[in-house]
Every structure is written in structure tokens, then in C-alpha cells.
Amino acid sequence: MIRLLFFIAFVLLIEVYAFQAFKTLSRIKWVQYSYIITSVLIFVFIIYSFTQFDRSVGQTSKTLFTLGLVLIVYIPKMILTLVMFGEDFYRIISGTISHFLGSTDQSSFLPERRKFVSQIALGVAAVPFLSLLYGMTKGKYNFKVIKQTLFFKDLPDSFDGTTITHISDIHSGSFDDPEKIQYAVDLINEQNSDMVLFTGDIVNTHATEMDPWIDTFKGIRNPKFGKYSVLGNHDYGEYINWPSQKAKEDNFEAIKKLHQQIDFKLLLNENVKLINGADEIAIVGVENWGHSFKKAGDLIKASTGLQQNDFKILMSHDPSHWEYEVKNHENNFHLTLSGHTHGLQFGIEIPGFIKWSPVQYVYKQWAGLYENLGRYVYVNRGFGFHAYPGRVGIWPEITVIELKKGEKVV
């Protein structure tokens, strides 16, 4: 109840400031009243939707829409509030100084609002509004193929030039456009990689979320070295209230079977060796291990039968695993593939100039390639989306990694 009251008070504050700015666009009363009525209706709908959230069901298309509506409505209004509050601070200081200096104009303690400030505030607020709107309508399916070449001195000769297509965080329960998903699967196939690796979160919660998409993802062609996958934190059903422990366990078993249904070999703290001629490399797959999430991953168990000098590619959903356990591990994992962060589905990326997202203040490795003493982790930005039904600046990703023997020429 206290949280709800705080939220209502916060919304009222930003609505008052937002209305002050909106009045500069139109002095027509019916337009202003229409704005007020629309704002009230949106607020009531959001409160109603939150009160109807069912923790036994979890995220639905309605909750996705509601969260998107919250962001698209209130983030711009928060920016308006900051600008308008800044002007109020200036007005108070200015009025105080004028009062004590004995200004001849005593008609009002506070100077009037300046119209151009409100117009600037509206212009600035339009940027996140349009960005979030684009993210919800177009950005969430704006798939990008990102290519990366990595060099290793100890890569077995026969694997020189081997290519990997890496995807992560499908979150099938969020999809709403079969044509766009088919397009993304076609993009995966167009890469003609030697293997396809999927690093977890096939659903949001329920195995049934994947049912409409099984045939689509089964269409990912089986390449030379196969298709392999691991589990992510959402695959364990940890974020809803189940009617019984058995129901939760049955769902987990069904999720594991999904990987088989789309022809992926699910690695549960185990490894497989890929043989090419006289050489071999190992694909190691651990269950989810997150610094702040479920710790089911077991590197020792997953590495059974492997030697320190074997060339190893580790699949681990959460990149915090690399930071806290993998990067200095004695078993020497050459390359780790992760996902999980989604890049928060919001940020700014201009290659060679800027790479920023709020998620970087939580995860040291949050998108792209990172290196430590010749060991690498690549964090995929995610195939799907979760919570916010869109993407702004951090686009859905299909990664293609080429393995090369030798040292990178600078």
C-alpha cells in the first residue's frame, strides 16, 4: 500500500509539471481537458493492470503492453518535470534575490514561466517518446548480424576458419510476429556457420510459450558440427508462484525437452568433443550460474574428461559467471559465450565512438567482446525481448564468430 501511495504521489507530481508544459502548446480549453482526461484514463488503466497481475501466470502480452505504456508515457514526462523543476528553482532564486534587493516590481514574488523553456522541455521529451515508440513497433525485431574474428595460438589446425553462429535469450513467450521471427531464422541459416550455439532462456517461464514457434526454430539448419544449447535463468520457472512443486518440475522437464524438439543438443553441466580430421575441440555447457541468480552451473562436472590444454568453448548464460569464476579458472576456457543482459534493451551504440547502457553499472561484461589474459567472453545482446516489449539502440543480435589460428595482426 505504501508503495502504491508513493507511486500515485510521484505520478501526480510529474503530471502537474507535464501539464504546465503542455499548456504552452495550446490555450484551447477543450484540448487541455482532453489531455487531462487521457492522462487520467491511462493512469487508471496502468493501476488496474498492475492490480490484476497474476504471479501464478507471470508475464503476458497484457503485462508487456502495460510496462511499455508506463515507460512511453512517464519517462518523457519525467524529463519534462526535471526541466520544469529546474526552471522553478531558477524562479525561486530569482524571486528571492529581487525581493531582498527591493525590486520595484512587487506584483509577483515568482517571475512568470518562460514559454521557450516549456517548448525546449517538450522537444527534449519527444526524443525518448519517439525512441520508445519505435522500439516497441520496429526496434524489437530490428535483427543485426554482428561478425567477430578471434585469434588463438593454440587453436587446432583443422579448426582454423571455423565459424560459430551464436544466439541467446529467445524469450519465445514475448513474440507476436511470426513473419519477423521467420526472417530472423532465415538470417541464421544464411550465415552457413559450422555450428549454432544457443545460450539459454528459450521461454519467459512456461514451456508452452514455445509451442507456436517449434516448427520455426526447428528450421535452423543442422550444420557441420551441430547445434548445442544451455539453460538460462528463466528456464527454471523461478519467477512465478506454482500450484505445486510437481507442476514446477514438470514445466522444467518440458522446457528441457523443447531443445530436443528444435534439434538442439542441450548440455547440462557436460561437454562434447567436436572432431575434425586428427584434431578436436570441446564444447562445454553449464547450467545457469549467475552472481545474483540461480547457481546451478558446475564447471568441474562440465569439464569431466577434459585436459587443461584442450581447446574449450564454454557456453554459460550469465556473463557474471565469467567475471567471478571462469576468466581465471585453472581449466583454461578459451572462449565463453553468454547472453542474459539483453543490453537492457536500451542504450546507445555507435561503433568506434560510444557504447553505453544503464546495465553496464550492474554487469562488467554486458554486450560484445571482452578479454582477459588471452581468454575471451562474448555477450550476445539477445534474440528476443522481455519485460519492456521493445528495443532502443540495443538491437536483437545474431553473432557470427570466426576462429583463426595465430595472433591478430594489429
Side-chain angles (χ1 to χ4, degrees):
M1 179 60 70
I2 294 177
R3 290 181 179 179
L4 180 61
L5 291 175
F6 177 80
F7 176 71
I8 292 173
F10 175 74
V11 169
L12 286 175
L13 175 66
I14 64 174
E15 288 289 5
V16 168
Y17 274 104
F19 181 66
Q20 295 299 314
F22 180 79
K23 285 197 302 184
T24 64
L25 292 180
S26 176
R27 297 292 182 180
I28 302 174
K29 292 297 182 182
W30 72 265
V31 173
Q32 295 179 5
Y33 290 145
S34 297
Y35 170 85
I36 293 172
I37 292 171
T38 301
S39 297
V40 170
L41 290 176
I42 290 174
F43 177 72
V44 170
F45 172 80
I46 290 171
I47 293 296
Y48 173 77
S49 297
F50 282 153
T51 60
Q52 297 302 303
F53 180 73
D54 187 347
R55 284 195 59 83
S56 66
V57 175
Q59 180 175 283
T60 64
S61 58
K62 183 178 179 181
T63 59
L64 278 169
F65 174 78
T66 301
L67 183 55
L69 187 64
V70 169
L71 295 175
I72 204 171
V73 170
Y74 292 119
I75 286 183
K77 289 185 177 182
M78 285 171 61
I79 292 173
L80 279 173
T81 298
L82 287 174
V83 176
M84 302 295 284
F85 184 81
E87 186 191 20
D88 277 354
F89 183 76
Y90 166 80
R91 292 166 67 207
I92 292 172
I93 297 298
S94 178
T96 301
I97 292 174
S98 296
H99 176 77
F100 285 104
L101 290 181
S103 172
T104 56
D105 183 11
Q106 298 295 325
S107 59
S108 174
F109 173 74
L110 291 178
E112 291 186 2
R113 289 192 179 278
R114 293 165 294 178
K115 183 177 180 180
F116 83 92
V117 173
S118 296
Q119 292 172 335
I120 289 173
L122 288 165
V124 172
V127 174
F129 175 79
L130 295 174
S131 297
L132 289 164
L133 182 62
Y134 174 83
M136 292 173 63
T137 55
K138 301 290 184 180
K140 62 185 178 182
Y141 294 128
N142 185 23
F143 293 97
K144 301 296 182 184
V145 176
I146 297 179
K147 298 188 176 184
Q148 186 80 54
T149 301
L150 300 180
F151 292 83
F152 300 92
K153 291 185 292 184
D154 54 350
L155 178 70
D157 292 339
S158 297
F159 288 91
D160 186 16
T162 296
T163 53
I164 302 166
T165 290
H166 173 210
I167 59 174
S168 192
D169 299 89
I170 288 175
H171 287 285
S172 55
S174 301
F175 296 154
D176 57 9
D177 192 328
E179 185 177 333
K180 295 295 186 182
I181 302 306
Q182 183 61 58
Y183 166 75
V185 168
D186 291 341
L187 270 182
I188 293 171
N189 287 331
E190 285 176 15
Q191 307 315 308
N192 291 315
S193 293
D194 296 307
M195 68 184 87
V196 178
L197 305 182
F198 165 49
T199 49
D201 277 0
I202 196 169
V203 295
N204 295 329
T205 299
H206 296 91
T208 53
E209 296 168 20
M210 189 66 179
D211 288 351
W213 311 101
I214 287 175
D215 288 342
T216 303
F217 282 91
K218 192 172 183 178
I220 297 176
R221 287 196 293 267
N222 197 9
K224 177 180 179 180
F225 293 124
K227 304 189 295 187
Y228 303 93
S229 58
V230 294
L231 298 173
N233 57 301
H234 280 270
D235 297 324
Y236 294 86
E238 300 278 295
Y239 306 119
I240 70 167
N241 298 327
W242 294 93
S244 67
Q245 182 62 28
K246 184 178 185 303
K248 181 180 179 181
E249 292 171 356
D250 288 346
N251 182 72
F252 184 51
E253 291 303 313
I255 285 175
K256 289 189 287 187
K257 289 179 181 178
L258 289 175
H259 294 257
Q260 181 181 355
Q261 290 177 269
I262 60 173
D263 298 330
F264 275 73
K265 167 63 176 175
L266 178 62
L267 301 179
L268 300 168
N269 292 322
E270 57 187 310
N271 67 80
V272 295
K273 290 185 177 180
L274 307 181
I275 299 173
N276 194 26
D279 298 320
E280 62 182 32
I281 65 175
I283 305 296
V284 183
V286 294
E287 292 195 50
N288 190 79
W289 192 104
H291 182 61
S292 302
F293 292 89
K294 188 178 185 68
K295 293 178 174 62
D298 187 333
L299 281 175
I300 301 301
K301 181 180 178 182
S303 303
T304 300
L306 300 179
Q307 305 300 316
Q308 185 182 43
N309 60 350
D310 289 336
F311 191 92
K312 294 179 283 293
I313 298 173
L314 173 66
M315 302 168 65
S316 181
H317 177 71
D318 191 321
S320 67
H321 192 200
W322 189 80
E323 174 64 24
Y324 287 95
E325 280 201 347
V326 176
K327 71 179 184 181
N328 294 313
H329 199 278
E330 61 182 8
N331 280 352
N332 185 30
F333 297 93
H334 296 72
L335 170 63
T336 300
L337 300 179
S338 299
H340 180 64
T341 72
H342 301 203
L344 204 66
Q345 298 167 210
F346 178 86
I348 302 171
E349 285 196 274
I350 303 175
F353 291 94
I354 186 173
K355 177 181 172 182
W356 176 87
S357 168
V359 77
Q360 72 186 50
Y361 305 114
V362 180
Y363 290 90
K364 289 185 178 181
Q365 299 82 29
W366 60 275
L369 185 68
Y370 303 83
E371 183 264 344
N372 179 67
L373 301 175
R375 302 179 185 183
Y376 295 91
V377 61
Y378 191 91
V379 185
N380 183 285
R381 293 160 179 82
F383 183 96
F385 51 92
H386 177 67
Y388 165 57
R391 283 179 175 267
V392 178
I394 307 293
W395 311 121
E397 176 179 358
I398 297 164
T399 314
V400 178
I401 297 174
E402 182 181 15
L403 306 179
K404 296 293 293 182
K405 186 177 180 66
E407 297 185 4
K408 183 177 180 179
V409 178
V410 180

